[in-house]
Amino acid sequence: MKILLMGPPGAGKGSQSAKLVKEYQLTSISTGEMFREAARNNEPLGIEAMKYIHRGDLVSDEITNEVVRKRLLESDAERCFLLDGYPRTVSQAQALDAMLLSMDSKLTAVINIVVDKEAILERMVGRRVCKKCGLTYHVSFKPPKKPGICDDCGGELYQRVDDQPESVRNRLNIYERKTKPIVDYYSGRGILKNVDGMQSFEEVYKDIINALGEVQ
Ligand code: ADP
Ligand code: ADP
Ligand code: ZN
């Protein structure tokens, strides 16, 4: 299984990806999470990426492609992976195709999670993330048992700098202009499936599993 999970920021990619990765033992490749982790560890990559991230801008294709290229070459990504948040531009999608081709590999499914614009802002503003393990919560839709504390690992929950309304607006704009065209890029290959993201966590998950069954 080589899956790509797409959709606007706040669509539920991270939440669904966490479940899928556990259930199917997939290697999770989330460029956003990789950048945030590099920033937490004060690595040069993280410091450079944060310059863009905190404004809600995209990190350059050059940096992002290189990070993914290295990750795909690691042994745990050879058979099964789930990409979340990459590619985000047509140029990244072309770069990914070239990388996979050179590895004699290709994507088996592209799942596009579709959500209403109004829901996105509410989801992002209420999102909280565990500092320690990266697990995602929502103050209303998926509250932790103890406020501010991760159920899973006891880590502290924080609000991402790019989940402030100012950055959110910019990210949605960028999504419309740069990322949405990728849907056209993949449609026509017979591996793209749209899933209604305006349902409960469980229903969205079920629909993703069904969609995967249809393309494999
Ligand atoms: P993405 O990775 O696409 O940006 P997330 O998985 O981080 O999205 O979800 C964004 C926010 O919305 C999180 O706070 C998450 O808990 C919440 N969320 C995700 N899916 C749903 C859903 N189906 N119903 C309600 N809230 C959701
Ligand atoms: P979300 O799912 O909420 O959009 P991500 O965690 O996927 O958030 O990404 C957070 C930020 O990291 C993006 O707004 C962008 O600045 C940067 N980023 C992540 N993936 C990419 C990518 N493929 N290309 C460029 N920038 C990226
Ligand atoms: Zn945690």
Side-chain angles (χ1 to χ4, degrees):
M1 276 205 261
K2 290 173 178 164
I3 306 172
L4 165 57
L5 210 50
M6 283 191 60
K13 302 182 296 294
S15 306
Q16 297 299 333
S17 138
K19 272 194 192 178
L20 287 163
V21 161
K22 231 185 188 169
E23 187 67 26
Y24 293 94
Q25 273 110 47
L26 304 169
T27 294
S28 159
I29 305 180
S30 159
T31 40
E33 191 46 49
M34 285 161 93
F35 291 143
R36 280 189 293 277
E37 191 182 345
R40 277 197 293 273
N41 298 332
N42 271 319
E43 292 166 28
L45 167 72
I47 294 163
E48 179 63 23
M50 269 303 156
K51 289 185 198 161
Y52 302 88
I53 292 176
H54 83 101
R55 289 196 302 260
D57 287 337
L58 292 182
V59 178
S60 74
D61 286 343
E62 207 183 0
I63 293 177
T64 310
N65 288 335
E66 187 53 20
V67 163
V68 174
R69 196 186 62 80
K70 278 197 194 138
R71 186 66 189 87
L72 283 175
L73 287 171
E74 286 175 39
S75 59
D76 63 345
E78 207 176 313
R79 285 188 51 246
C80 298
F81 61 71
L82 188 147
L83 280 167
D84 154 17
Y86 178 92
R88 249 181 165 93
T89 62
V90 170
S91 148
Q92 289 181 10
Q94 288 165 338
L96 174 64
D97 272 344
M99 282 179 224
L100 292 175
L101 190 69
S102 75
M103 294 166 197
D104 215 10
S105 167
K106 62 174 192 233
L107 292 174
T108 46
V110 178
I111 303 289
N112 183 35
I113 306 182
V114 183
V115 283
D116 297 346
K117 263 213 178 110
E118 302 75 59
I120 293 179
L121 191 68
E122 200 183 12
R123 284 191 185 181
M124 289 166 89
V125 171
R127 169 159 56 190
R128 299 292 181 271
V129 182
C130 175
K131 244 179 201 168
K132 230 161 113 189
C133 75
L135 214 65
T136 300
Y137 295 82
H138 190 283
V139 289
S140 319
F141 307 140
K142 194 180 186 268
K145 291 193 183 94
K146 262 198 225 154
I149 306 289
C150 176
D151 293 348
D152 236 45
C153 78
E156 190 190 330
L157 304 186
Y158 76 106
Q159 183 169 27
R160 279 168 44 176
V161 285
D162 55 343
D163 278 346
Q164 312 293 336
E166 194 85 334
S167 308
V168 168
R169 267 191 290 275
N170 190 26
R171 289 162 71 197
L172 290 178
N173 248 320
I174 291 176
Y175 172 78
E176 288 293 329
R177 282 192 294 120
K178 299 200 170 158
T179 309
K180 221 175 175 183
I182 301 184
V183 177
D184 291 331
Y185 180 86
Y186 287 115
S187 66
R189 290 196 192 181
I191 54 166
L192 177 81
K193 291 279 171 192
N194 289 316
V195 166
D196 177 8
M198 294 302 296
Q199 315 177 79
S200 69
F201 287 92
E202 293 73 25
E203 285 165 327
V204 178
Y205 185 72
K206 225 189 275 164
D207 282 1
I208 293 176
I209 301 302
N210 286 338
L212 288 176
E214 286 169 20
V215 290
Q216 310 277 333

